[in-house]
Amino acid sequence: MAANELLKRLVTIFSDDDLRHPQLRGIVLAQWMLESGRATSELSVKHYNFGGLKWRKEMAGFATRIQYEAHDGADFYCKFATIENFITGYWVFLNRSPYSGWEANVSTPEEFIKFIGPIYAGDESYADKVISLLPEATSLLEQAVRARADGPHGDQENDDGRGDDLGVIVIDPGHGGIQNLPGSDANHAISVSGVKEKKLALDFSLILRDQIYARAQRSERLKVVMTRETDKNLPGKERARFAFDHKAKLFLCLHFNGSQSGSARGTETYYRAKENGNINLQDDMTFAQAVQTALFKQLKALDSGARDRGIKPDNQGNPSLPGFGVLNDHNLGNDERRDPCRAAYIEAEFITNPSVEKLLISGPDAVNNRTLAMAAVADAVLQQMRAIRS
Ligand SMILES: [Zn+2]
């Protein structure tokens, strides 16, 4: 059975996560597959809770509390803002007193699950059910590691060798990892509930990728390339190089804004300023306006407080400002020798605003809302790719 997109996203991120006990990676994924019905449960789809984790006060700061009607009655469960937050939160959950001593039982996957299973599920047969999924979990993790070793590419290419070729788009989730690099800090904004911009940028970007593939017509071939699929940072220049290396038609950076003032909000999209050597200005502005309009309209439909801050040059109108390194035309391959790549840089919203926190991060419909928002951007992207081809 083919893994669904959500399970693939979980596997991709978890396969590259630093674990204190790497020998437990497979069995833990197997447990999440059992608990979430292979990422089909409502708790996993709506709240990124792949472990069926009930709310416990120690989870404050790692999750938010939601009421949920499970098979054993209504109760409070954990809602996670991103898949990365769930992975962190799972270990926080285990580090509570009911599981004390678990780290003395980690020499094999079986030992671990036989120790925690009866506490987790109150069921002696639970460990065996998880162990039966271990081969499948291990194989999914191996596939993810292999795909990464093969280098960055769109492994879910819509490509049957026929149909209209729309070309390549590179999606660049902002920030990542723990090191500040030239043109790309590890993180910038932090949401009201403490979720880092880099985690939201990755989550939204992976949803955007899936939406582009899902919303392309069957007769259309295209490829979505991600500059990163896990929690790592890349220098700004290297991100832009992806567009050149993959002969991309479009390069789209995704970020979130932050402000000292909790009331600031709105959506804005940047393009490379003419003064910063943009030889592709009109096309970049067209692309920036298309994604800006699509994203803003969808956010406005979800929340009347949404605000259109418009498209802006990356020097913000000040010719002496250098602009964003990641939008450097030369690194994108915009020179006379080849077709120019259109580039845009979305600041989707201010995550320091409590309404945005509820709408897109930790409110009950946050995952659904962000999926709708990324579907709108996906449609705009596909229209651009079609327009460039014709
Ligand atoms: Zn940013």
Side-chain angles (χ1 to χ4, degrees):
M1 142 182 196
N4 70 27
E5 301 307 330
L6 181 58
L7 180 57
K8 279 191 209 162
R9 271 152 51 202
L10 172 67
V11 171
T12 298
I13 293 169
F14 188 47
S15 68
D16 198 34
D17 190 55
D18 273 334
L19 284 193
R20 186 144 52 149
H21 306 291
Q23 71 277 18
L24 302 184
R25 203 182 302 270
I27 199 73
V28 165
L29 178 63
Q31 188 192 8
W32 298 343
M33 288 165 65
L34 177 70
E35 286 286 343
S36 67
R38 293 183 178 83
T40 61
S41 70
E42 197 178 319
L43 266 181
S44 62
V45 171
K46 289 181 72 175
H47 308 301
Y48 291 149
N49 184 341
F50 301 90
L53 304 179
K54 288 193 175 166
W55 175 257
R56 296 291 179 263
K57 64 181 188 310
E58 296 90 333
M59 300 306 289
F62 298 92
T64 49
R65 194 181 74 150
I66 45 124
Q67 192 164 23
Y68 175 73
E69 189 86 33
H71 58 88
D72 49 355
D75 207 338
F76 289 109
Y77 282 79
C78 293
K79 175 185 181 65
F80 296 94
T82 68
I83 293 173
E84 291 180 81
N85 288 77
F86 163 72
I87 293 170
T88 307
Y90 173 81
W91 301 108
V92 173
F93 193 85
L94 280 197
N95 284 334
R96 297 174 312 114
S97 58
Y99 298 95
S100 63
W102 74 265
E103 287 199 275
N105 293 276
V106 297
S107 55
T108 65
E110 290 79 8
E111 186 191 23
F112 167 76
I113 199 66
K114 284 181 174 159
F115 179 82
I116 69 151
I119 312 166
Y120 206 95
D123 171 1
E124 287 304 319
S125 66
Y126 183 80
D128 288 334
K129 289 184 204 158
V130 175
I131 291 167
S132 73
L133 291 173
L134 181 56
E136 186 183 338
T138 305
S139 150
L140 287 171
L141 288 164
E142 284 168 0
Q143 284 170 34
V145 170
R146 262 201 312 275
R148 203 161 31 249
D150 288 348
H153 58 83
D155 59 332
Q156 312 169 46
E157 200 167 355
N158 280 7
D159 187 357
D160 57 2
R162 301 186 301 266
D164 304 327
D165 189 359
L166 299 192
V168 176
I169 173 171
V170 172
I171 299 176
D172 178 41
H175 312 284
I178 50 171
Q179 266 188 311
N180 291 342
L181 298 172
S184 179
D185 286 350
N187 190 60
H188 174 226
I190 297 180
S191 89
V192 176
S193 71
V195 181
K196 288 182 173 159
E197 175 190 351
K198 64 172 186 170
K199 293 184 189 291
L200 294 167
L202 180 60
D203 194 75
F204 278 64
S205 294
L206 290 172
I207 293 174
L208 175 59
R209 176 185 65 183
D210 291 347
Q211 287 296 320
I212 292 171
Y213 282 126
R215 300 172 84 82
Q217 287 164 17
R218 273 167 163 251
S219 62
E220 292 173 330
R221 288 190 290 141
L222 75 153
K223 192 160 159 178
V224 183
V225 175
M226 307 285 297
T227 58
R228 67 179 184 101
E229 291 180 297
T230 62
D231 185 22
K232 64 175 184 185
N233 198 6
L234 297 163
K237 261 187 184 179
E238 239 174 79
R239 294 170 187 256
R241 275 287 301 199
F242 272 72
F244 178 80
D245 291 344
H246 293 273
K247 301 186 170 60
K249 282 183 178 172
L250 301 177
F251 177 70
L252 183 58
C253 306
L254 185 62
H255 286 247
F256 293 86
N257 250 325
S259 166
Q260 301 281 24
S261 143
S263 62
R265 79 169 292 182
T267 303
E268 60 195 22
T269 302
Y270 288 89
Y271 55 88
R272 190 148 190 86
K274 189 173 174 51
E275 296 86 359
N276 290 332
N278 190 341
I279 63 160
N280 197 29
L281 185 66
Q282 282 311 318
D283 284 345
D284 278 0
M285 288 177 71
T286 301
F287 177 38
Q289 189 64 63
V291 290
Q292 167 73 16
T293 302
L295 179 55
F296 166 70
K297 268 175 81 175
Q298 183 57 59
L299 291 176
K300 185 83 180 170
L302 293 167
D303 178 2
S304 61
R307 219 187 120 207
D308 185 358
R309 297 169 69 96
I311 65 168
K312 301 171 180 186
D314 67 345
N315 62 8
Q316 300 179 63
N318 180 347
S320 63
L321 280 179
F324 305 159
V326 70
L327 289 182
N328 185 298
D329 248 14
H330 174 74
N331 290 313
L332 291 166
N334 283 345
D335 59 40
E336 294 70 27
R337 287 163 293 174
R338 43 171 290 144
D339 291 337
C341 172
R342 297 182 181 187
Y345 182 117
I346 297 177
E347 292 275 9
E349 252 298 2
F350 282 81
I351 58 177
T352 39
N353 182 301
S355 304
V356 174
E357 170 74 41
K358 178 164 180 278
L359 180 71
L360 296 175
I361 303 171
S362 52
D365 299 320
V367 172
N368 192 46
N369 289 343
R370 73 180 71 160
T371 305
L372 291 170
M374 291 302 98
V377 174
D379 285 342
V381 158
L382 285 164
Q383 273 183 22
Q384 285 286 301
M385 294 176 92
R386 289 176 195 127
I388 296 170
R389 177 198 45 166
S390 54

